[in-house]
Amino acid sequence: MTIHPIETIISDAGIRGGQPIIAATALRVSDLVASHLYRGLSPEELAINFGLNLGQVYAALAYYYQHKTEIDAQMQADTLEAEHLLAELAAQKKLMRFD
C-alpha cells in the first residue's frame, strides 16, 4: 500500500500564528471554512473569491472536517477576541458605525 500525502495544508509558526493555512498563501483554513459555513459559498465560489483552485479548496475543507473540533474552537476564540476588540473601540469612541 502507498499512502499519498496531500501537502496543500501547512502550519508554520511564523505565518498566521501557526494556524493551518493553504500552502503558498497566508489564507487560514478557518477563514475559508467560515465563508463556506456562514456565508454559504460553494467550493467553486470559494475558489473564485480567494483565487484558489478547486484542489486547494477541497483540501482545506477536508482538513477542516478531519480537525473540526480544534478549528471550531479557534474560530470561536477569534470571534470572542474580535468582539472584545470592538467593545474596547466602542468604549474609547473610536468605532464608526455605518448603520
Side-chain angles (χ1 to χ4, degrees):
M1 171 173 36
T2 301
I3 297 175
H4 298 284
I6 297 176
E7 299 171 355
T8 304
I9 307 303
I10 63 168
S11 294
D12 181 329
I15 303 171
R16 304 301 296 258
Q19 293 183 41
I21 63 170
I22 298 171
T25 76
L27 178 62
R28 297 182 308 172
V29 168
S30 61
D31 295 330
L32 184 128
V33 167
S35 289
H36 180 62
L37 296 177
Y38 304 117
R39 293 179 58 213
L41 297 181
S42 70
E44 292 78 10
E45 291 169 320
L46 292 169
I48 292 167
N49 288 352
F50 289 102
L52 303 171
N53 64 51
L54 280 174
Q56 291 170 305
V57 171
Y58 281 110
L61 293 174
Y63 185 89
Y64 167 70
Y65 286 109
Q66 291 174 336
H67 301 88
K68 186 177 184 317
T69 302
E70 306 100 88
I71 294 174
D72 284 348
Q74 183 60 53
M75 287 193 298
Q76 180 65 28
D78 290 347
T79 298
L80 293 174
E81 176 67 15
E83 289 171 353
H84 174 74
L85 292 172
L86 287 171
E88 280 185 17
L89 289 171
Q92 297 171 12
K93 300 194 187 305
K94 296 181 180 178
L95 182 64
M96 295 180 69
R97 307 278 310 178
F98 297 100
D99 297 329

